[in-house]
Amino acid sequence: MIIVPEGVIPNLIDRTTSYNAVESVFGAMARGDAYNFPVIRENIGYADALYGFKSGFDKAGLSLGLKSGGYWPGNEAKGLTNHQSTIFLFNPDTGQLKAIVGGNYLTAVRTAAASSVSIQHLARKDSKVLGMIGAGHQSAFQMRAAVEQRDFEKIIGWNYHPEMLSRLADTAKEIGLPFEEVSLDELGAQADVIISITSSFAPILMAAQVKPGTHIACMGTDTKGKQEVESALIAKATVFTDEIAQSITIGECQHAIAEGLITQDQITEIGAVINGTHVGRSSDDEITLFDGTGVGLQDLAVATAAVELAIASGDAIEIDL
Ligand code: NAD
């Protein structure tokens, strides 16, 4: 059995490896070669924490396992990230535990890879302005991955807590692109691609604020009750997701579905676009929206890559069970 400690992972896995792992498993899901098991996510009534399991099996990549963890909102004050998770991989031939892999950094890179995959496959090729809604831990990972998909010239941002916007400004500076703090009206009017990555429980971005041709990646809503965009925006857009079952229950589409504004057959898995069985964006005026709910198979895909890289680099700790 192998342990890949959290601390070695940032030096092992790069954005290209993560992008390829996530794009490949989304394709496998849409072909029916990989599937996620039902998600368990509970408010444990302690430390305001949400805790649960995401799991699945990828027959094509032979990844079987689960991610255990959740969200502890008080962690930042303790110098820890709010998301805490660990990935367990099992041998699909024997059921034996194969690896324990730190899941914090991998969660951030696999989530950033998911919105990147959506930008690559759905955003207009001439997209120039990236709009960021949210300035928490995930936002910097999202921005770094997104700018690799199009020739962006400017990044603009809005956050519910404006004092956190320095994270976006610093990350844009590191990337080498100008950054501007804007109102939500300005963000919608200027941005060609918008990423929302917040823990909001009420709509932030309204349908009327978004211009034709925009691609929106809604990445923050991963729990029942959370919401980042107005349901009318979902109804107006061509909607894609990682997995329909999650999208309509814990993802951004849960509200539009509950309000009867869309039906689940109007939502397409992004894997279909990756596999070439759905055209994706069909015009420059179309608003495309990716509901990135975060599936267990993304975690297993990047953890499997991390294990291979850790063995190759000598960072893997081997233990006899
Ligand atoms: P964080 O705690 O570091 O940041 C939270 C962000 O949400 C900040 O921008 C904050 O200003 C904003 N926010 C907080 N309360 C708000 C409110 N009432 N209204 C609007 N905005 C508010 O969290 P993070 O690690 O950056 O994660 C952000 C979100 O992304 C969380 O909801 C998390 O569960 C989700 N997430 C989703 C996936 C996925 O795969 N889809 C993966 C990881 C995290």
Side-chain angles (χ1 to χ4, degrees):
M1 198 272 290
I2 281 165
I3 297 177
V4 186
E6 183 68 45
V8 304
I9 293 174
N11 291 329
L12 284 179
I13 193 145
D14 59 18
R15 281 190 291 277
T16 306
T17 308
S18 179
Y19 180 102
N20 290 339
V22 169
E23 185 184 56
S24 161
V25 83
F26 282 165
M29 282 166 58
R31 285 195 311 272
D33 285 340
Y35 65 105
N36 295 286
F37 308 153
V39 174
I40 307 249
R41 197 159 166 91
E42 294 287 323
N43 184 334
I44 60 170
Y46 184 78
D48 285 334
L50 290 171
Y51 174 74
F53 306 96
K54 285 186 169 180
S55 53
F57 179 43
D58 176 1
K59 269 186 236 167
L62 289 183
S63 298
L64 173 69
L66 61 92
K67 178 169 83 167
S68 150
Y71 191 73
W72 275 259
N75 273 7
E76 204 156 327
K78 299 174 189 161
L80 301 167
T81 54
N82 293 350
H83 278 279
Q84 288 296 328
S85 52
T86 308
I87 300 160
F88 297 82
L89 297 174
F90 297 88
N91 182 328
D93 293 309
T94 62
Q96 286 176 301
L97 181 59
K98 199 164 106 178
I100 299 177
V101 187
N104 293 351
Y105 187 83
L106 288 180
T107 296
V109 294
R110 67 76 148 143
T111 306
S115 62
S116 270
V117 167
S118 85
I119 294 167
Q120 181 55 243
H121 288 278
L122 297 171
R124 286 188 349 262
K125 296 276 181 244
D126 64 349
S127 297
K128 296 290 177 218
V129 179
L130 172 65
M132 298 290 309
I133 298 176
H137 178 71
Q138 306 293 329
S139 64
F141 291 88
Q142 291 284 324
M143 189 194 288
R144 286 192 203 103
V147 297
E148 290 172 351
Q149 310 311 320
R150 290 292 182 268
D151 292 327
F152 291 110
E153 292 173 353
K154 183 166 92 165
I155 300 170
I156 56 180
W158 179 92
N159 194 44
Y160 184 73
H161 301 103
E163 68 278 10
M164 293 169 75
L165 280 166
S166 57
R167 178 182 264 127
L168 297 184
D170 292 348
T171 311
K173 193 171 172 193
E174 172 199 308
I175 290 166
L177 284 174
F179 174 78
E180 202 185 317
E181 177 185 340
V182 293
S183 68
L184 284 167
D185 281 343
E186 285 170 310
L187 188 135
Q190 288 190 45
D192 302 305
V193 172
I194 298 174
I195 297 175
S196 60
I197 183 83
T198 72
S199 45
S200 177
F201 278 82
I204 299 170
L205 187 67
M206 302 296 157
Q209 289 170 317
V210 176
K211 66 176 182 179
T214 305
H215 173 65
I216 307 157
C218 295
M219 304 306 296
T221 298
D222 55 1
T223 303
K224 196 167 169 49
K226 282 188 186 174
Q227 187 171 13
E228 296 191 296
V229 304
E230 189 185 16
S231 300
L233 179 53
I234 303 272
K236 197 172 168 181
T238 308
V239 182
F240 301 84
T241 188
D242 39 25
E243 191 198 71
I244 291 169
Q246 286 199 185
S247 171
I248 63 173
T249 51
I250 59 169
E252 194 61 41
C253 288
Q254 61 180 291
H255 307 285
I257 288 279
E259 290 163 35
L261 293 178
I262 60 162
T263 52
Q264 86 175 59
D265 57 11
Q266 289 171 278
I267 308 171
T268 304
E269 289 194 356
I270 186 96
V273 184
I274 293 164
N275 294 340
T277 55
H278 187 287
V279 66
R281 168 177 291 281
S282 56
S283 85
D284 278 353
D285 286 342
E286 188 176 10
I287 294 173
T288 52
L289 186 145
F290 174 66
D291 181 4
T293 66
V295 294
L297 283 169
Q298 279 169 262
D299 298 299
L300 304 189
V302 289
T304 300
V307 168
E308 282 165 17
L309 290 164
I311 292 170
S313 68
D315 287 308
I317 300 166
E318 289 201 47
I319 293 177
D320 283 334
L321 280 183

